[in-house]
Amino acid sequence: MFDVLIKSFTFILIILIAYTLKKARVLKKEDANVLATIIMNITLPCALLTSANGIELDVTILILIAIGIISNVVMIMIGYVASMKENAKMKGAYMINTSGYNIGNFVLPFVQSFFPGLGVVYLCSFDIGNALMGLGITYAAADHVASGENHFDIKELLKKLFSSIPFDVYVLIFILAIFKLQVPTPILTIASTIGAGNSFLAMLMIGLMLEIKVSSTEAKNVLKIIILRVIGTLIISGITLFLPLPLLAKQILIMAYCAPLSTVSAVFTRKIGYHGDMSATANSLSIVLSIVCTVILLLIFI
């Protein structure tokens, strides 16, 4: 228990340091964009390649990939139904912000520390499905609703997916797993060295992103989104307990469900035409809530 608290406190401390440096104006909120670029294009892909190297496809892995997709679909539907009385752009915003999980920048560092090996493999399997939805399909569906268009642009969807380096790495890992191949040792050594900095940079970025700023008119929607996320998490977690999966896989899934909103949620929300602070504020609140939930879950599981 003490070890769990110390490791968890280390992650929280990094977040607090970044937040304090931002308030002291040593760093700026905009610096989070630089860190996000480094993380998404360099350290996270290397961390994923290192952690998931040697993964072997089996029924559990395939089920976890499917759950990554299904859990997002369920949350999209919850967001859509809950915003039926809202205008088109708000509906799209709800669909984006009630679904999607920040796995690579939040959950992965915790799982790497407490459940290395198979736990990371299970998490990455879930994130393949989650990334497929969060990096393209969810945005396409939300944009469809927000704009009232009657068709999807498949080429644009594929472009969005494969322009994401983490997603490309997942595709590579999946292909290697199919043919039972492993990453060459020299490449793995380089990737592991670079990927080792991912946890620190991810927590630093989260600390810079934390910002509770919302107008009174948007406060209701922010609260509603957080409540919908919590309700959805409880429902999906309850169902997960009865799935024919190993105990570790169930634990990893429940931790994944408690992840904050995806880092791209605010970007996609703006791209569909909604320009308020609702998404950014909901993201920050979800981070705080996720920290508390993750520490509690670690204490229970370990």
Side-chain angles (χ1 to χ4, degrees):
M1 177 177 175
F2 182 73
D3 186 48
V4 172
L5 290 173
I6 288 296
K7 286 185 178 180
S8 299
F9 177 73
T10 301
F11 287 128
I12 296 172
L13 181 62
I14 296 171
I15 294 173
L16 291 175
I17 288 172
Y19 183 78
T20 302
L21 290 174
K22 181 181 68 173
K23 288 300 180 182
R25 298 185 179 180
V26 175
L27 294 174
K28 298 178 292 185
K29 183 180 178 180
E30 291 71 23
D31 292 334
N33 296 327
V34 177
L35 289 178
T37 301
I38 295 172
I39 291 168
M40 294 299 291
N41 295 297
I42 302 175
T43 61
L44 178 56
C46 287
L48 293 174
L49 194 63
T50 304
S51 301
N53 181 49
I55 182 175
E56 295 183 3
L57 287 182
D58 56 24
V59 176
T60 299
I61 299 300
L62 296 176
I63 290 175
L64 291 175
I65 294 173
I67 291 175
I69 296 172
I70 294 170
S71 59
N72 273 267
V73 172
V74 170
M75 295 306 298
I76 290 171
M77 292 174 63
I78 288 175
Y80 181 79
V81 171
S83 60
M84 285 293 288
K85 296 181 180 180
E86 306 289 345
N87 60 53
K89 285 184 173 57
M90 184 63 81
K91 285 180 184 177
Y94 265 73
M95 291 168 68
I96 291 172
N97 290 281
T98 52
S99 64
Y101 304 94
N102 187 347
I103 301 300
N105 295 333
F106 186 87
V107 184
L108 182 61
F110 283 97
V111 173
Q112 282 179 316
S113 294
F114 295 100
F115 303 101
L118 192 56
V120 174
V121 170
Y122 286 155
L123 182 66
C124 289
S125 301
F126 170 84
D127 199 31
I128 291 174
N130 175 58
L132 180 65
M133 294 298 297
L135 295 175
I137 295 178
T138 298
Y139 167 69
D143 189 48
H144 175 76
V145 170
S147 63
E149 294 180 357
N150 295 317
H151 68 280
F152 288 106
D153 189 336
I154 301 299
K155 290 183 179 179
E156 186 65 23
L157 173 60
L158 293 174
K159 182 180 178 182
K160 285 186 177 72
L161 286 173
F162 286 98
S163 63
S164 167
I165 294 180
F167 183 76
D168 292 340
V169 171
Y170 276 134
V171 172
L172 174 61
I173 291 170
F174 193 75
I175 293 172
L176 291 175
I178 291 175
F179 294 101
K180 297 183 179 180
L181 300 174
Q182 292 196 4
V183 180
T185 301
I187 295 177
L188 200 61
T189 300
I190 296 171
S192 62
T193 302
I194 297 173
N198 186 68
S199 298
F200 174 74
L201 292 179
M203 294 300 132
L204 203 66
M205 181 194 72
I206 288 172
L208 293 177
M209 288 175 59
L210 275 176
E211 194 72 48
I212 310 301
K213 176 187 176 183
V214 66
S215 64
S216 56
T217 56
E218 290 188 312
K220 180 188 72 172
N221 288 317
V222 171
L223 183 60
K224 192 174 178 180
I225 284 173
I226 296 299
I227 292 174
L228 289 173
R229 292 273 299 192
V230 172
I231 292 173
T233 297
L234 291 174
I235 293 172
I236 300 173
S237 296
I239 295 173
T240 298
L241 294 175
F242 296 96
L243 295 177
L245 293 170
L247 177 60
L248 178 59
K250 294 179 182 180
Q251 292 173 336
I252 297 300
L253 280 175
I254 292 173
M255 288 184 65
Y257 300 148
C258 291
L261 275 68
S262 169
T263 51
V264 297
S265 61
V267 176
F268 284 161
T269 300
R270 287 186 176 276
K271 288 187 72 173
I272 66 168
Y274 184 89
H275 298 290
D277 294 319
M278 180 185 73
S279 182
T281 303
N283 202 313
S284 292
L285 286 175
S286 73
I287 289 171
V288 175
L289 187 61
S290 294
I291 291 171
V292 175
C293 291
T294 301
V295 173
I296 292 174
L297 288 175
L298 287 172
L299 290 173
I300 293 173
F301 295 157
I302 303 176

